[in-house]
Amino acid sequence: MNSDQGSHFTSSKYTDLFLDKGCKISMDHCGRAYDNIFIERLWRSVKYENIYPNEYDTPREARTGIKDYFEFYNEKRPHQSLNYRTPVEVHFGL
């Protein structure tokens, strides 16, 4: 499990949840502002391209819609940073 170094992530109440299950814990280094940049960009896309425009009424609708979006994001949506290929094409060398 990887997290930031904030007090809520370093409390024994939180870390024991993972340690009790046999997980290893790593924490980002202090001052590493770019550690989460890729996941932050992903969630920005999810929010602005899917969640905000759809205004889901129930958690079930949100789960289904977000699942469908991730399939689109990975299999059909070309990414500029991947030379306009999809993540599936890059990962599997298609």
Side-chain angles (χ1 to χ4, degrees), residues 47-78:
K47 290 188 291 187
Y48 283 93
E49 294 178 16
N50 183 266
I51 295 171
Y52 297 155
N54 288 301
E55 297 182 7
Y56 297 114
D57 291 323
T58 66
R60 178 175 289 171
E61 285 180 13
R63 280 191 302 272
T64 300
I66 293 167
K67 178 185 130 332
D68 292 344
Y69 176 77
F70 273 107
E71 288 176 10
F72 164 75
Y73 184 91
N74 287 314
E75 298 173 16
K76 295 183 174 92
R77 180 183 182 270

Side-chain angles (χ1 to χ4, degrees), residues 8-49:
H8 50 290
F9 294 119
T10 57
S11 73
S12 61
K13 186 175 182 178
Y14 181 80
T15 57
D16 287 349
L17 294 171
F18 297 96
L19 295 172
D20 291 346
K21 298 291 184 185
C23 297
K24 293 182 180 180
I25 296 175
S26 67
M27 297 199 179
D28 295 338
H29 301 298
C30 186
R32 297 283 307 267
Y34 299 108
D35 283 349
N36 295 322
I37 197 164
F38 296 111
I39 198 69
E40 294 292 340
R41 286 180 182 169
L42 169 65
W43 281 111
R44 181 180 185 278
S45 296
V46 172
K47 290 188 291 187
Y48 283 93
E49 294 178 16

